[in-house]
Amino acid sequence: MSVYDRLQSLGITLPPVATPAAAYVPFVRSGSLVFLSGHIAKRDGQPWVGQLGLTMTTAEGQAAARAVAVDLLGTLQAACRDAGTSLDGVRRIVKVLSLVNSTPSYTEQHLVTNGCSELLVQVFGPAVGAHARSAFGVAQLPLGACVEIELIAELG
């Protein structure tokens, strides 16, 4: 099953690449690796604002991380097109780095990040989608977003 078939079966339509809100580019390719800039969680086109352990539950954070994964896939698709391939040409999701806006006592950042990681495995399958990962709790994120995630992928 192709990546696009899996996306369709999950009811996911990929968004276009968002215009950067500061002085950076959405992705950079170096050799076969593509580095995607951090994407903040959005809901209804606006920053998904909240702090885990104060105004949001872990389940809500997982939903936000999943939403970030969908946006990351849209950017990865653009990076693939730029490289003359498609999402089916992704050889491996190499690394995910997740920043979770959370209180000092909140300790479930890894569970929040599962919202992204699990979707990547669903879309690419375990051989391509399973990845190395870091999940950090931070005091604040741009625009008050609850989650920001960046991604590194290898193209075939």
Side-chain angles (χ1 to χ4, degrees):
M1 181 181 283
S2 79
V3 169
Y4 295 98
D5 291 336
R6 288 188 192 113
L7 287 168
Q8 185 176 13
S9 73
L10 292 166
I12 296 172
T13 301
L14 297 181
V17 177
T19 303
Y24 65 92
V25 294
F27 63 87
V28 170
R29 198 175 83 211
S30 180
S32 63
L33 295 178
V34 177
F35 297 79
L36 275 58
S37 295
H39 287 51
I40 62 169
K42 293 182 182 172
R43 181 170 48 186
D44 301 325
Q46 299 300 314
W48 194 329
V49 175
Q51 188 173 46
L52 279 293
L54 182 65
T55 62
M56 293 182 72
T57 66
T58 298
E60 290 169 320
Q62 288 172 334
R66 186 181 191 282
V68 175
V70 172
D71 286 346
L72 285 165
L73 288 169
T75 301
L76 182 56
Q77 177 175 251
C80 288
R81 285 182 183 150
D82 188 63
T85 188
S86 71
L87 288 174
D88 288 316
V90 172
R91 179 175 289 160
R92 188 73 193 246
I93 302 298
V94 176
K95 174 88 188 254
V96 166
L97 185 138
S98 174
L99 305 171
V100 180
N101 182 349
S102 52
T103 64
S105 62
Y106 185 80
T107 60
E108 295 188 341
Q109 291 85 359
H110 62 296
L111 299 177
V112 167
T113 306
N114 281 347
C116 173
S117 294
E118 291 170 358
L119 181 63
L120 293 172
V121 171
Q122 284 181 306
V123 169
F124 290 103
V128 174
H131 51 272
R133 184 180 93 179
S134 299
F136 297 97
V138 297
Q140 193 53 266
L141 288 169
L143 307 173
C146 57
V147 179
E148 179 174 353
I149 302 174
E150 63 181 47
L151 181 145
I152 302 169
E154 180 184 13
L155 304 182

